[in-house]
C-alpha cells in the first residue's frame, strides 16, 4: 500500500477506508459466482504538500481490463450507452474545432473508448485514439476512428510523433485519473503537443465529490481525484500551466481543465481563479476537510441501510437502477445483496445476465423492470438520474419511487 504521494513523494494522510472491495466493474457470469474474487482495501489519502488525493492501494490494471486469450483486453464500459454523453462529446468536438485546430489539424485522444469523441471530427482532421481495450477500440474503428490498442506511455507518444507528427490537442476524458504514473503521462504530453498545443483533461472534480459526499467515485480504476490546486502543482513540474477550466455535469460533476506550455498563446481565464477560490473556500487544501468527508460517508451508509431495511421489512420490493461501478462500491460498502435488492436494471447488453461483483445481485434488462414494477428503484447511477427518470416516467406514474443517496438520502 502506497504511503507516499505518487506525485511528490510526501507522506500521505489517510482519510477514507471503504473496506475490502472487489473490482467495481468485474461483473460475473453465473458460473463465476462461486469462484473467489480478487479484493483490495479501498482507501484514499491526501497529500498535504501537492494536494493530490489518491488511492492508497492500486489494483493491477489487468484486474479490470480483463485479458482474453485471443481478443486482447476486454472492457465492459461503452461510453456511448448514454445519450447525454454522446451529445456532451459532440459539443466539445465543435469547441475544439473552433478554438484549437491549426492548418494541419491533428488530435490524439488518450482512452478513446468506442470513438464517442473522435468520430465527430471532419475527414480533414487527423484523429488518433489510444485505447487499450480491444472490444471498445473495435467499435471505434467501425466508426472510422483509427485506434492504437495500447496503454498510453512516453514510448507510445514518441512513436506517434514519428509516424504522425506533433499534435494540436491531446484530450483525455475520464482516463487521466486511471493512469498510475502521471509523470510518464506528462512526459508523453510534452513530447506530443506542439509549441502552441494544448492538453485537455476531464475527470470528476474533487470539489464536487466533497460537496456531494460522492464517496462512490472512489474505486479501483480511479487512482486520482483532481482539483485545480493539485493539477496546477503537477503541470508546473513540466513548465506548463492551466489556462482555462469549465465545470461539466458529467460523471456526477467533472472539471474540464485546459493546459498549455507556460506563457503559451492563450490568456489565463478568470474561470481558473474563480474555481481555485471556490476550492479553497471548500477546504480542498486542508486535511481536516477530508476527515469530515469520511464522517459524512458513514452517516449516508447508516441512513441508506435504515431506509432499505425498513422498506424490506414493510414487504416492499426494492431494485437497483444502473449497474455502475459506483453502484458496486455502495453495494459492497453497505453490504447490500440479493436478499434486499431483487435485481439491478441496466441497458448495457454486456452486463445483462451477469451478477454484480462482491454482492452478486443479478443484472437485468430494462424490459424486465417494465413488466412488473417494484416499489423502489435505488438510483445506483445517480449521475444519470435525469436521463433515467425521463425514460422511466411510467414507473413513476405507476406509483414507483426512485431513491437516491447522493448528496443525501432522498425519495424522489
Ligand atoms: P456510468 O455512468 O458509466 O458509471 P460508472 O463509471 O460508475 O460505471 O454507469 C451508468 C450505468 O447505468 C451504465 O452501466 C449504463 C446504465 N444506464 C442505464 O441502464 N440506463 C440509462 O438510461 C443510462 C443513462 C445508464
Amino acid at each position: 500500500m502506497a504511503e507516499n504521494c505518487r506525485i511528490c513523494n510526501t507522506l500521505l494522510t489517510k482519510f477514507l477506508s471503504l473496506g475490502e472491495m472487489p473490482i467495481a466493474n468485474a461483473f460475473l457470469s453465473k458460473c463465476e459466482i462461486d469462484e473467489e474474487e480478487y479484493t483490495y482495501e479501498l482507501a484514499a489519502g491526501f497529500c498535504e504538500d501537492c494536494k493530490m488525493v489518491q488511492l492508497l492501494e492500486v489494483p493491477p490494471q489487468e484486474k479490470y481490463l480483463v485479458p482474453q486469450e485471443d481478443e486482447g483486453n476486454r472492457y465492459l464500459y461503452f461510453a456511448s450507452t448514454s445519450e447525454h454523453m454522446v451529445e456532451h462529446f459532440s459539443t466539445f468536438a465543435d469547441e475544439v474545432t473552433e478554438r484549437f485546430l491549426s492548418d494541419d489539424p491533428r488530435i490524439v485522444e488518450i482512452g478513446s473508448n468506442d470513438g464517442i469523441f473522435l468520430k465527430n471530427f471532419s475527414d480533414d482532421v487527423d484523429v488518433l485514439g489510444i485505447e487499450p481495450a480491444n472490444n471498445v477500440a473495435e467499435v471505434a474503428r467501425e466508426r472510422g476512428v483509427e485506434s492504437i490498442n495500447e496503454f498510453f506511455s512516453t514510448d507510445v507518444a514518441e512513436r506517434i510523433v514519428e509516424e504522425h507528427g506533433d499534435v494540436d490537442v491531446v484530450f483525455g476524458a475520464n482516463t487521466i485519473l486511471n493512469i498510475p504514473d502521471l509523470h510518464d503521462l506528462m512526459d508523453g504530453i510534452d513530447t506530443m503537443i506542439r509549441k502552441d498545443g494544448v492538453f485537455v483533461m476531464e475527470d470528476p472534480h474533487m470539489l464536487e465529490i466533497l460537496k456531494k459526499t460522492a464517496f462512490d467515485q472512489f474505486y479501483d480504476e480511479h487512482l486520482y481525484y483532481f482539483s485545480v490546486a493539485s493539477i496546477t502543482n503537477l503541470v508546473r513540474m513540466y513548465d506548463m500551466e492551466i489556462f482555462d477550466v469549465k465545470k461539466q455535469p458529467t460523471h456526477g460533476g467533472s472539471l474540464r481543465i485546459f493546459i498549455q506550455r507556460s506563457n503559451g498563446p492563450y490568456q489565463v481565464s478568470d474561470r481558473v481563479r474563480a474555481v481555485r477560490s471556490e476550492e479553497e473556500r471548500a477546504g480542498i487544501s486542508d486535511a481536516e476537510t477530508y476527515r469530515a468527508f469520511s464522517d459524512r460517508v458513514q452517516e449516508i451508509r447508516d441512513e441508506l441501510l435504515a431506509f432499505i431495511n425498513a422498506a424490506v421489512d414493510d414487504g416492499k420490493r426494492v431494485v437497483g437502477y444502473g449497474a455502475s461501478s459506483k453502484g458496486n462500491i455502495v453495494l459492497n460498502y453497505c453490504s447490500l445483496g440479493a436478499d434486499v435488492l431483487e435485481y439491478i436494471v441496466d441497458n448495457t447488453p454486456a452486463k445483462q445476465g451477469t451478477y454484480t461483483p462482491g454482492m452478486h445481485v443479478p443484472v437485468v434488462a430494462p424490459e424486465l423492470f417494465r413488466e412488473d414494477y417494484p416499489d423502489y428503484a435505488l438510483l445506483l447511477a445517480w449521475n444519470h438520474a435525469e436521463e433515467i427518470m425521463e425514460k422511466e416516467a411510467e414507473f413513476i406514474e405507476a406509483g414507483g419511487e426512485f431513491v437516491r443517496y447522493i448528496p443525501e438520502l432522498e425519495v424522489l
Side-chain angles (χ1 to χ4, degrees):
M1 186 172 282
E3 291 183 350
N4 288 25
C5 174
R6 285 184 198 87
I7 308 303
C8 71
N9 211 30
T10 302
L11 190 68
L12 292 168
T13 305
K14 179 176 176 177
F15 65 91
L16 182 73
S17 175
L18 300 178
E20 281 295 308
M21 274 294 156
I23 296 296
N25 210 19
F27 290 87
L28 307 165
S29 64
K30 198 171 179 70
C31 57
E32 284 169 328
I33 51 179
D34 294 326
E35 289 169 24
E36 201 179 323
E37 287 164 76
Y38 168 87
T39 62
Y40 67 102
E41 188 200 349
L42 178 51
F46 168 65
C47 176
E48 296 194 40
D49 194 7
C50 78
K51 315 303 176 198
M52 190 65 84
V53 177
Q54 51 205 280
L55 279 198
L56 293 177
E57 186 176 342
V58 175
Q61 270 169 326
E62 64 269 21
K63 296 287 179 199
Y64 56 86
L65 266 168
V66 188
Q68 294 200 312
E69 257 166 44
D70 46 354
E71 283 180 61
N73 293 310
R74 177 171 60 104
Y75 194 39
L76 276 181
Y77 180 75
F78 285 82
S80 300
T81 49
S82 161
E83 285 151 36
H84 283 198
M85 292 306 283
V86 171
E87 177 71 32
H88 170 80
F89 287 116
S90 144
T91 310
F92 183 53
D94 292 342
E95 181 181 334
V96 166
T97 304
E98 262 170 43
R99 278 178 89 180
F100 302 124
L101 294 188
S102 64
D103 295 342
D104 178 20
R106 196 166 301 129
I107 305 175
V108 165
E109 185 181 12
I110 304 176
S112 41
N113 201 272
D114 56 11
I116 188 169
F117 171 65
L118 291 179
K119 70 171 188 185
N120 295 295
F121 291 92
S122 57
D123 290 346
D124 57 329
V125 181
D126 185 357
V127 300
L128 179 65
I130 304 167
E131 173 50 62
N134 268 353
N135 60 334
V136 283
E138 201 41 52
V139 177
R141 289 191 196 104
E142 281 160 19
R143 291 175 171 153
V145 173
E146 186 185 343
S147 305
I148 304 182
N149 224 185
E150 275 181 79
F151 283 103
F152 181 71
S153 67
T154 313
D155 290 346
V156 172
E158 280 166 7
R159 214 177 333 126
I160 289 174
V161 173
E162 260 167 42
E163 289 170 16
H164 297 258
D166 52 8
V167 307
D168 296 313
V169 180
V170 177
F171 180 52
N174 306 304
T175 303
I176 306 306
L177 79 172
N178 302 150
I179 298 179
D181 187 350
L182 291 184
H183 289 301
D184 186 61
L185 166 89
M186 290 307 299
D187 276 333
I189 303 287
D190 195 18
T191 303
M192 282 193 299
I193 58 170
R194 293 175 175 158
K195 195 162 138 285
D196 293 351
V198 298
F199 166 42
V200 186
M201 55 187 275
E202 178 179 314
D203 298 280
H205 188 187
M206 193 59 224
L207 176 66
E208 288 302 313
I209 297 176
L210 285 174
K211 278 193 192 164
K212 297 192 171 87
T213 320
F215 64 97
D216 54 357
Q217 295 277 15
F218 286 89
Y219 66 87
D220 50 272
E221 292 178 43
H222 291 178
L223 312 190
Y224 298 98
Y225 305 83
F226 298 131
S227 58
V228 176
S230 59
I231 293 299
T232 299
N233 289 328
L234 171 69
V235 302
R236 193 182 285 143
M237 295 178 181
Y238 294 84
D239 219 5
M240 294 188 199
E241 65 181 7
I242 298 178
F243 67 93
D244 202 359
V245 289
K246 284 189 183 171
K247 290 187 180 193
Q248 305 295 324
T250 48
H251 285 283
S254 296
L255 190 66
R256 185 176 286 157
I257 304 179
F258 299 77
I259 295 154
Q260 64 179 348
R261 297 186 191 280
S262 295
N263 303 313
Y266 303 98
Q267 215 193 333
V268 178
S269 139
D270 288 342
R271 281 189 287 266
V272 180
R273 275 177 288 272
V275 174
R276 186 71 195 87
S277 334
E278 198 188 343
E279 287 182 352
E280 278 316 304
R281 285 197 302 277
I284 211 134
S285 302
D286 188 354
E288 188 44 42
T289 306
Y290 297 89
R291 281 190 277 269
F293 170 85
S294 176
D295 292 344
R296 292 203 303 280
V297 171
Q298 290 174 36
E299 283 165 24
I300 291 184
R301 176 181 61 181
D302 295 346
E303 285 174 20
L304 177 60
L305 280 174
F307 174 82
I308 293 195
N309 289 335
V312 171
D313 286 349
D314 222 18
K316 305 278 195 221
R317 291 175 56 218
V318 188
V319 307
Y321 206 113
S324 60
S325 301
K326 289 189 265 300
N328 285 329
I329 297 306
V330 176
L331 298 188
N332 282 284
Y333 173 58
C334 301
S335 290
L336 288 171
D339 49 337
V340 286
L341 291 183
E342 237 173 79
Y343 56 77
I344 294 172
V345 189
D346 199 284
N347 66 356
T348 316
K351 290 184 186 175
Q352 294 160 4
T354 67
Y355 295 80
T356 64
M359 299 316 293
H360 301 177
V361 183
V363 181
V364 306
E367 289 69 28
L368 194 122
F369 171 74
R370 291 171 197 151
E371 266 170 27
D372 181 17
Y373 286 130
D375 299 291
Y376 294 115
L378 191 59
L379 268 172
L380 298 171
W382 54 267
N383 49 313
H384 297 290
E386 208 182 309
E387 186 169 349
I388 290 172
M389 288 173 73
E390 266 171 33
K391 273 184 200 159
E392 302 297 353
E394 278 183 26
F395 167 59
I396 301 168
E397 280 162 28
E401 287 176 299
F402 279 105
V403 180
R404 78 156 127 209
Y405 42 84
I406 286 188
E408 59 196 357
L409 190 78
E410 200 179 350
V411 180
L412 301 170

